[in-house]
Amino acid sequence: MNRYTKRTFVLEMVMVAVGIVFAFPVYVLVNLAIRQPSDTSSPIRPTTSPTFDNFTGAWREAGLGGALINSVLVTTVSVLIVLAVSALAAYPLARSTARWSRGTFLLIMLGLILPFQLASLPLYQTVRDLGLLGSVWSLVLFYAGLQVPFTTFLYVGFLRALPRDFEDAAAIDGASPFKTFRYVVLPMLKPITVTALVLNAVAVWNDFFTPLLYLSGSDQQTVPVAVAGFVGQFVSDWNLIFAALLISIVPVLAVYLALQRSIINGFAGGLKG
């Protein structure tokens, strides 16, 4: 029986069209990033004489070296803290049937509803009083608190879909709740952990407002702030600007492509639950 129907063909064409729509801006970005400044032809026309001088020029003029180090440091430390705190918090919230568990979970979920901009002024004053203005550790402290509600929500949803058979067996063998979590539950959380890692890393990496607020007036900056300043300085040299943009998205894109299978598994497990 031939299962390839007209409906299947239409769906394939729709998916191809959507793929082209999403791929077109990426094509223009790469095409202009490798184009020589003297080439003023249409951005859509393929570049016939590619050059990588734009990348070296953008790296040097925008100071992307130091910005990349700061972004990697802030993103790595923040995400590790968020994952550790959220996983430890989600386990008792998902497994406990006590009344306090539901109330605590709803309290944490308030962090998803209330916009952090409402607390921008008091948070800024707190960071100033701690003497962390102009330091990348102020960003780590901010993101470690901001991303916990969302990540806890992901972990709780995934944990509620997991069977308790292995945990009950570990309890019968005399394992403490912490050992049960460490050796039984945590390995099963790998799909949702990878998903949370990538989602949080993208959010932290691409944030512009917070680094601009807390690092303003210092020589420290993250990649989005460095690129934004670079755009304002070289607004007429789009080849350098697109090269800087391409450099800024490569690290997080590489992480996503390397972990995409686990990301899909994490979303699929959460939807199934």
Side-chain angles (χ1 to χ4, degrees):
M1 179 179 178
N2 187 10
R3 296 184 178 180
Y4 191 85
T5 63
K6 183 179 180 180
R7 181 174 181 271
T8 304
F9 174 77
V10 172
L11 289 176
E12 287 183 350
M13 291 301 99
V14 171
M15 288 188 290
V16 170
V18 172
I20 293 175
V21 170
F22 280 95
F24 179 74
V26 179
Y27 163 74
V28 174
L29 174 65
V30 177
N31 192 40
L32 292 181
I34 61 176
R35 178 175 293 184
Q36 296 182 4
S38 58
D39 188 347
T40 59
S41 59
S42 172
I44 302 177
R45 188 180 68 83
T47 300
T48 56
S49 300
T51 178
F52 291 97
D53 293 340
N54 294 328
F55 294 95
T56 58
W59 182 276
R60 181 180 61 255
E61 299 294 338
L64 291 179
L68 277 173
I69 293 175
N70 288 335
S71 288
V72 170
L73 174 64
V74 170
T75 302
T76 302
V77 178
S78 300
V79 171
L80 289 178
I81 294 175
V82 168
L83 293 179
V85 172
S86 300
L88 290 171
Y91 181 56
L93 292 175
R95 290 298 188 237
S96 177
T97 58
R99 184 177 301 177
W100 64 266
S101 176
R102 178 176 177 80
T104 304
F105 179 69
L106 293 177
L107 182 62
I108 294 176
M109 289 304 99
L110 284 177
L112 293 176
I113 302 174
L114 299 177
F116 76 90
Q117 289 85 354
L118 292 177
S120 294
L121 181 58
L123 284 174
Y124 182 86
Q125 294 174 338
T126 301
V127 171
R128 180 196 60 193
D129 294 339
L130 292 174
L132 294 177
L133 283 181
S135 171
V136 294
W137 298 110
S138 62
L139 302 180
V140 172
L141 182 64
F142 176 84
Y143 294 129
L146 179 67
Q147 299 299 118
V148 164
F150 172 69
T151 311
T152 303
F153 172 77
L154 292 179
Y155 273 118
V156 169
F158 192 85
L159 280 165
R160 287 175 176 172
L162 290 178
R164 303 187 58 166
D165 299 345
F166 295 106
E167 299 166 58
D168 294 337
I172 292 174
D173 290 339
S176 65
F178 180 77
K179 285 187 176 181
T180 300
F181 173 79
R182 170 65 180 84
Y183 296 105
V184 178
V185 177
L186 191 58
M188 294 190 292
L189 294 180
K190 180 182 176 181
I192 194 62
T193 297
V194 174
T195 302
L197 184 151
V198 172
L199 293 178
N200 282 292
V202 171
V204 173
W205 184 274
N206 291 333
D207 186 30
F208 174 77
F209 175 75
T210 306
L212 182 66
L213 180 64
Y214 292 151
L215 301 182
S216 179
S218 70
D219 57 351
Q220 303 290 332
Q221 58 182 355
T222 58
V223 170
V225 177
V227 172
F230 183 69
V231 171
Q233 184 179 0
F234 293 87
V235 69
S236 61
D237 198 339
W238 289 105
N239 301 101
L240 284 180
I241 292 174
F242 282 117
L245 289 173
L246 194 58
I247 293 173
S248 69
I249 67 175
V250 164
V252 69
L253 182 62
V255 172
Y256 174 79
L257 292 177
L259 302 176
Q260 60 178 332
R261 183 182 298 272
S262 298
I263 296 171
I264 295 173
N265 291 338
F267 277 121
L271 291 174
K272 183 179 179 181

